[in-house]
């Protein structure tokens, strides 16, 4: 079954999906942007689990393109899936790593049994990925993923991000207008 993709404008920390994806960094110790918002609103339980994951599984940090799950603490979601997007580089195509973030996050969602997953526009903030390059990669990797996840909600913070994802989704779906919430 193909994943159903929905685009919404909003704050990912307010989503009530089974899991929300965090645009983290390798340290898993928090940061700015989505990462900062998730840790602030979710509370200390998330960081505690991140520390344990670092100590037990990833002493050198979570590699770019990989994903791990923790509790969502006080958030509405049940889990946070932390993934590390690539820092944008003009000199090198890192779209494979960005695709991997989505595919690995959905694979972790399958492991924990999450059927609905919210993604931010990974790498398009502090990591500098242009929206018009990131959006098609994100949409295509989700549509192409082998997963049991039924609903993927891209939660876009501003109009520019929403429009980039709307264009990318319409292109993939042969010109259909995407569902707007
Ligand atoms: N909800 C939804 N989207 C948001 C939110 C929010 N609450 N806040 C920002 N965005 P970024 P990155 C958008 O910078 O580029 C952190 O310090 C934002 O407008 O959060 O992957 C980490 O620790 C942008 O479109 O993530 C890493 O060090 C998108 O989310 C680094 O930033 C991603 O922006 C990761 O950078």
């Amino acid at each position: 079954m193909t994943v159903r993709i929905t685009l919404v404008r909003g704050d990912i920390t307010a989503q009530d999906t089974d899991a929300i994806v965090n645009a983290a960094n390798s340290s898993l110790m928090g940061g700015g942007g989505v990462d900062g918002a998730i840790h602030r609103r979710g509370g200390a339980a998330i960081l505690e689990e991140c520390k344990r994951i670092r100590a037990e599984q990833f002493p050198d940090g979570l590699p770019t393109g990989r994903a791990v799950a923790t509790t969502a603490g006080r958030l509405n979601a049940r889990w946070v899936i932390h993934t590390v997007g690539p820092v944008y580089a003009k000199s090198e195509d890192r779209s494979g790593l960005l695709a991997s973030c989505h595919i690995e996050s959905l694979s972790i969602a399958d492991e924990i049994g999450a059927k609905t997953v919210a993604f931010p526009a990974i790498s398009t903030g502090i990591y500098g990925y242009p929206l018009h390059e990131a959006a098609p990669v994100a949409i295509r990797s989700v549509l192409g993923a082998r997963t049991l996840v039924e609903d993927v909600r891209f939660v876009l913070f501003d109009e520019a991000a929403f429009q980039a994802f709307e264009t990318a989704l319409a292109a993939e779906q042969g010109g259909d207008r995407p569902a707007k919430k």
Side-chain angles (χ1 to χ4, degrees), residues 135-171:
V137 175
I139 297 278
R140 260 185 238 134
S141 51
V142 168
L143 286 174
R146 287 169 64 103
T147 178
L148 300 170
V149 172
E150 292 163 3
D151 278 295
V152 163
R153 187 184 298 174
F154 282 100
V155 183
L156 294 326
F157 212 40
D158 56 27
E159 190 55 30
F162 185 87
Q163 277 178 17
F165 275 72
E166 195 172 42
T167 302
L169 184 57

Side-chain angles (χ1 to χ4, degrees), residues 82-151:
H82 306 261
T83 190
V84 184
V87 175
Y88 184 71
K90 275 190 185 150
S91 56
E92 190 185 60
D93 179 9
R94 296 183 178 166
S95 59
L97 288 166
L98 184 58
S100 172
C101 288
H102 296 83
I103 293 161
E104 293 274 322
S105 293
L106 292 174
S107 159
I108 294 289
D110 287 345
E111 278 176 28
I112 58 183
K115 296 287 186 207
T116 57
V117 179
F119 280 88
I122 298 167
S123 287
T124 67
I126 292 161
Y127 282 179
Y129 227 99
L131 279 165
H132 70 275
E133 286 189 43
V137 175
I139 297 278
R140 260 185 238 134
S141 51
V142 168
L143 286 174
R146 287 169 64 103
T147 178
L148 300 170
V149 172
E150 292 163 3
D151 278 295

